[in-house]
Coordinates of all heavy atoms in Angstrom, one line a residue:
D267 N -4.5 -0.1 11.0 CA -5.1 -0.4 12.3 C -5.4 -1.9 12.3 O -6.5 -2.3 11.7 CB -6.4 0.4 12.5 CG -7.0 0.2 13.8 OD1 -6.8 -0.8 14.5 OD2 -7.8 1.1 14.3
D268 N -4.5 -2.7 12.8 CA -4.7 -4.1 12.8 C -5.8 -4.6 13.6 O -6.3 -5.8 13.4 CB -3.4 -4.8 13.2 CG -2.2 -4.6 12.1 OD1 -2.6 -4.2 11.0 OD2 -1.1 -4.7 12.5
T269 N -6.3 -3.9 14.6 CA -7.4 -4.3 15.4 C -8.7 -4.2 14.7 O -9.7 -4.9 14.9 CB -7.4 -3.5 16.7 OG1 -7.6 -2.2 16.5 CG2 -6.2 -3.8 17.5
E270 N -8.8 -3.1 13.8 CA -10.0 -2.9 13.0 C -9.9 -3.4 11.6 O -10.8 -3.4 10.9 CB -10.3 -1.4 13.0 CG -10.5 -0.8 14.3 CD -11.9 -1.2 14.9 OE1 -12.8 -1.6 14.2 OE2 -12.0 -1.2 16.2
N271 N -8.7 -4.0 11.3 CA -8.5 -4.5 9.9 C -8.7 -3.5 8.8 O -9.4 -3.7 7.8 CB -9.3 -5.8 9.7 CG -8.9 -6.9 10.5 OD1 -7.7 -7.1 10.7 ND2 -9.8 -7.7 11.0
I272 N -8.2 -2.3 9.1 CA -8.3 -1.2 8.1 C -6.9 -0.6 7.9 O -6.1 -0.5 8.8 CB -9.3 -0.1 8.6 CG1 -10.7 -0.7 8.8 CG2 -9.3 1.0 7.6 CD1 -11.6 0.4 9.4
M273 N -6.7 -0.2 6.6 CA -5.5 0.5 6.3 C -5.8 1.8 5.7 O -6.9 2.0 5.1 CB -4.6 -0.4 5.3 CG -5.3 -0.9 4.1 SD -4.4 -2.1 3.2 CE -3.2 -1.1 2.3
Y274 N -4.9 2.8 5.8 CA -5.2 4.1 5.3 C -4.0 4.7 4.5 O -2.9 4.2 4.6 CB -5.4 5.0 6.6 CG -6.5 4.7 7.5 CD1 -6.2 4.0 8.7 CD2 -7.8 5.0 7.2 CE1 -7.2 3.6 9.5 CE2 -8.8 4.6 8.1 CZ -8.5 3.9 9.3 OH -9.5 3.6 10.1
L275 N -4.4 5.7 3.7 CA -3.4 6.5 3.0 C -3.8 7.9 3.1 O -4.8 8.3 2.5 CB -3.3 6.1 1.5 CG -2.1 6.8 0.8 CD1 -0.8 6.4 1.3 CD2 -2.3 6.6 -0.7
Q276 N -3.1 8.7 4.0 CA -3.4 10.1 4.1 C -2.6 10.8 3.0 O -1.4 10.7 2.9 CB -3.0 10.6 5.5 CG -3.1 12.1 5.7 CD -4.6 12.5 5.7 OE1 -5.4 11.8 6.3 NE2 -4.9 13.6 5.0
M277 N -3.3 11.6 2.2 CA -2.6 12.3 1.1 C -2.8 13.8 1.3 O -4.0 14.3 1.3 CB -3.3 11.8 -0.2 CG -3.2 10.3 -0.4 SD -3.8 9.8 -2.1 CE -5.5 10.3 -2.0
N278 N -1.7 14.5 1.4 CA -1.7 15.9 1.6 C -1.0 16.6 0.4 O -0.3 16.0 -0.3 CB -1.0 16.3 2.9 CG -1.7 15.7 4.1 OD1 -3.0 15.5 4.2 ND2 -1.0 15.4 5.2
S279 N -1.2 17.9 0.3 CA -0.6 18.7 -0.7 C -0.7 18.0 -2.1 O 0.2 17.8 -2.9 CB 0.9 18.9 -0.4 OG 1.0 19.6 0.8
L280 N -2.0 17.6 -2.4 CA -2.2 16.8 -3.6 C -1.9 17.7 -4.9 O -2.2 18.9 -4.9 CB -3.6 16.3 -3.7 CG -3.8 15.1 -2.8 CD1 -5.3 14.9 -2.4 CD2 -3.3 13.9 -3.4
E281 N -1.4 17.0 -5.9 CA -1.0 17.7 -7.1 C -1.8 17.0 -8.3 O -2.2 15.8 -8.2 CB 0.5 17.5 -7.4 CG 1.3 18.0 -6.3 CD 2.8 17.6 -6.4 OE1 3.1 16.7 -7.2 OE2 3.6 18.1 -5.6
P282 N -2.0 17.7 -9.4 CA -2.7 17.1 -10.5 C -2.1 15.7 -11.0 O -2.8 14.8 -11.4 CB -2.6 18.1 -11.6 CG -2.5 19.4 -10.9 CD -1.7 19.1 -9.6
E283 N -0.7 15.6 -10.8 CA -0.1 14.4 -11.2 C -0.4 13.2 -10.3 O -0.1 12.1 -10.6 CB 1.5 14.6 -11.1 CG 2.0 15.6 -12.1 CD 1.7 17.0 -11.8 OE1 1.4 17.3 -10.6 OE2 1.7 17.9 -12.7
D284 N -1.1 13.5 -9.2 CA -1.6 12.4 -8.3 C -2.9 11.8 -8.8 O -3.4 10.8 -8.2 CB -1.8 12.9 -6.9 CG -0.5 13.4 -6.2 OD1 0.6 12.7 -6.4 OD2 -0.5 14.4 -5.6
T285 N -3.5 12.3 -9.8 CA -4.7 11.8 -10.3 C -4.5 10.4 -10.9 O -3.6 10.1 -11.7 CB -5.2 12.7 -11.5 OG1 -5.6 14.0 -10.9 CG2 -6.5 12.1 -12.1
A286 N -5.3 9.5 -10.3 CA -5.2 8.1 -10.7 C -6.3 7.3 -10.0 O -7.0 7.8 -9.1 CB -3.8 7.5 -10.3
V287 N -6.4 6.0 -10.4 CA -7.2 5.0 -9.6 C -6.2 4.5 -8.6 O -5.1 4.0 -8.9 CB -7.8 3.9 -10.5 CG1 -8.5 2.9 -9.6 CG2 -8.7 4.5 -11.5
Y288 N -6.6 4.5 -7.3 CA -5.8 4.0 -6.2 C -6.3 2.7 -5.7 O -7.5 2.5 -5.5 CB -5.8 5.0 -5.1 CG -4.9 6.2 -5.3 CD1 -5.3 7.2 -6.3 CD2 -3.7 6.4 -4.7 CE1 -4.4 8.2 -6.6 CE2 -2.9 7.4 -5.0 CZ -3.2 8.4 -5.9 OH -2.4 9.5 -6.2
Y289 N -5.4 1.7 -5.6 CA -5.7 0.4 -5.1 C -5.0 0.1 -3.8 O -3.8 0.4 -3.7 CB -5.3 -0.6 -6.2 CG -5.9 -0.5 -7.6 CD1 -5.3 0.4 -8.5 CD2 -7.0 -1.2 -7.9 CE1 -5.8 0.5 -9.8 CE2 -7.6 -1.0 -9.2 CZ -7.0 -0.2 -10.1 OH -7.5 0.0 -11.3
C290 N -5.7 -0.7 -3.0 CA -5.0 -1.2 -1.8 C -4.7 -2.7 -2.1 O -5.4 -3.3 -2.9 CB -5.8 -1.1 -0.5 SG -7.4 -1.8 -0.5
A291 N -3.6 -3.2 -1.5 CA -3.2 -4.6 -1.7 C -2.6 -5.2 -0.5 O -2.1 -4.4 0.4 CB -2.3 -4.7 -2.9
A292 N -2.6 -6.5 -0.4 CA -2.0 -7.2 0.8 C -1.4 -8.5 0.3 O -1.8 -9.1 -0.7 CB -3.1 -7.4 1.8
D293 N -0.4 -8.9 1.1 CA 0.3 -10.1 0.8 C 0.9 -10.7 2.1 O 1.4 -10.0 2.9 CB 1.4 -9.8 -0.2 CG 2.0 -11.1 -0.7 OD1 1.4 -11.7 -1.7 OD2 3.0 -11.6 -0.2
P294 N 0.9 -12.0 2.2 CA 1.3 -12.6 3.5 C 2.9 -12.7 3.6 O 3.4 -13.3 4.6 CB 0.7 -14.0 3.5 CG 0.5 -14.3 2.0 CD 0.2 -13.0 1.4
T295 N 3.6 -12.2 2.6 CA 5.1 -12.3 2.7 C 5.6 -11.6 4.0 O 5.2 -10.5 4.3 CB 5.7 -11.7 1.5 OG1 5.3 -12.3 0.3 CG2 7.2 -11.7 1.6
A296 N 6.5 -12.3 4.7 CA 7.1 -11.8 5.9 C 8.4 -11.1 5.6 O 9.3 -11.8 5.1 CB 7.3 -12.9 7.0
Y297 N 8.5 -9.8 5.7 CA 9.7 -9.1 5.4 C 10.6 -8.9 6.7 O 10.1 -9.0 7.8 CB 9.4 -7.7 4.9 CG 8.8 -7.8 3.5 CD1 7.4 -7.7 3.3 CD2 9.6 -7.9 2.4 CE1 6.9 -7.8 2.0 CE2 9.0 -8.0 1.1 CZ 7.7 -7.9 0.9 OH 7.2 -8.0 -0.3
G298 N 11.8 -8.7 6.4 CA 12.8 -8.4 7.5 C 12.6 -7.0 8.0 O 11.7 -6.3 7.6
S299 N 13.5 -6.6 8.9 CA 13.3 -5.3 9.5 C 13.8 -4.1 8.7 O 13.6 -3.0 9.1 CB 14.1 -5.3 10.9 OG 15.5 -5.5 10.6
T300 N 14.5 -4.4 7.6 CA 15.1 -3.3 6.9 C 14.5 -2.9 5.6 O 14.9 -1.9 5.0 CB 16.6 -3.6 6.6 OG1 16.7 -4.8 5.8 CG2 17.4 -3.8 7.9
Y301 N 13.5 -3.7 5.1 CA 12.9 -3.3 3.8 C 11.5 -3.9 3.7 O 11.1 -4.8 4.4 CB 13.8 -3.9 2.7 CG 13.7 -5.4 2.5 CD1 13.0 -5.9 1.5 CD2 14.4 -6.2 3.4 CE1 12.8 -7.3 1.4 CE2 14.2 -7.6 3.3 CZ 13.5 -8.1 2.2 OH 13.4 -9.5 2.1
V302 N 10.8 -3.3 2.7 CA 9.6 -3.9 2.2 C 9.5 -3.7 0.7 O 9.9 -2.6 0.3 CB 8.3 -3.3 3.0 CG1 8.3 -1.8 2.8 CG2 7.0 -4.0 2.5
I303 N 9.0 -4.7 0.0 CA 9.0 -4.6 -1.4 C 7.6 -4.0 -1.8 O 6.6 -4.4 -1.2 CB 9.2 -5.9 -2.1 CG1 10.6 -6.4 -1.9 CG2 8.9 -5.8 -3.6 CD1 10.9 -7.8 -2.4
C304 N 7.6 -3.0 -2.7 CA 6.4 -2.3 -3.1 C 6.2 -2.4 -4.6 O 6.1 -1.4 -5.3 CB 6.5 -0.9 -2.6 SG 4.8 -0.1 -2.4
R305 N 6.2 -3.6 -5.1 CA 6.0 -3.8 -6.5 C 4.7 -4.6 -6.7 O 4.4 -5.5 -5.9 CB 7.1 -4.6 -7.1 CG 8.4 -3.7 -7.3 CD 9.4 -4.4 -8.2 NE 9.8 -5.7 -7.7 CZ 10.9 -5.8 -7.0 NH1 11.7 -4.8 -6.7 NH2 11.3 -7.0 -6.6
E306 N 4.0 -4.3 -7.8 CA 2.7 -4.9 -8.0 C 2.7 -6.4 -8.0 O 1.8 -7.0 -7.4 CB 2.2 -4.4 -9.4 CG 0.8 -5.0 -9.8 CD 0.4 -4.5 -11.2 OE1 1.2 -3.9 -11.9 OE2 -0.7 -4.8 -11.6
N307 N 3.7 -7.0 -8.6 CA 3.7 -8.5 -8.7 C 4.0 -9.2 -7.4 O 4.0 -10.4 -7.4 CB 4.6 -8.9 -9.8 CG 6.0 -8.5 -9.6 OD1 6.4 -7.8 -8.7 ND2 6.9 -8.9 -10.5
E308 N 4.3 -8.4 -6.4 CA 4.6 -9.0 -5.1 C 3.4 -9.1 -4.2 O 3.5 -9.6 -3.1 CB 5.7 -8.2 -4.4 CG 7.0 -8.2 -5.1 CD 7.7 -9.5 -5.1 OE1 7.5 -10.3 -4.2 OE2 8.6 -9.8 -6.0
Y309 N 2.2 -8.6 -4.6 CA 1.1 -8.5 -3.8 C 0.0 -9.4 -4.4 O -0.4 -9.3 -5.5 CB 0.6 -7.1 -3.6 CG 1.5 -6.3 -2.7 CD1 2.8 -5.9 -3.1 CD2 1.2 -6.2 -1.3 CE1 3.7 -5.3 -2.3 CE2 2.1 -5.6 -0.5 CZ 3.3 -5.1 -0.9 OH 4.2 -4.5 -0.1
R310 N -0.6 -10.2 -3.5 CA -1.6 -11.2 -4.0 C -3.0 -10.8 -4.0 O -3.7 -11.1 -4.9 CB -1.5 -12.5 -3.0 CG -2.3 -13.7 -3.4 CD -2.2 -14.7 -2.4 NE -2.9 -14.3 -1.2 CZ -3.0 -15.1 0.0 NH1 -2.3 -16.2 0.1 NH2 -3.7 -14.6 1.0
D311 N -3.4 -10.0 -3.0 CA -4.8 -9.7 -2.9 C -5.0 -8.2 -3.1 O -4.3 -7.4 -2.6 CB -5.3 -10.1 -1.5 CG -5.2 -11.5 -1.2 OD1 -5.6 -12.4 -2.0 OD2 -4.6 -11.9 -0.1

């Protein structure tokens, strides 16, 4: 929600393997229309 500056992760049908510490991250990189990189070292904040 860019107007409220909030991001969400809805998690359904949770499994024991989902147990972890969850982190949100953001980065100013501008991606094209066909992909987004989802690797830890690509996110700054």
Side-chain angles (χ1 to χ4, degrees):
D267 184 338
D268 293 340
T269 59
E270 297 292 333
N271 290 323
I272 299 177
M273 51 193 282
Y274 302 99
L275 184 68
Q276 178 66 43
M277 305 186 295
N278 299 329
S279 302
L280 283 161
E281 303 168 353
E283 293 75 20
D284 296 318
T285 295
V287 178
Y288 283 72
Y289 300 87
C290 60
D293 191 85
T295 299
Y297 290 97
S299 62
T300 60
Y301 75 101
V302 58
I303 295 177
C304 203
R305 287 195 297 267
E306 177 182 8
N307 60 356
E308 297 290 337
Y309 287 77
R310 186 186 71 184
D311 302 311

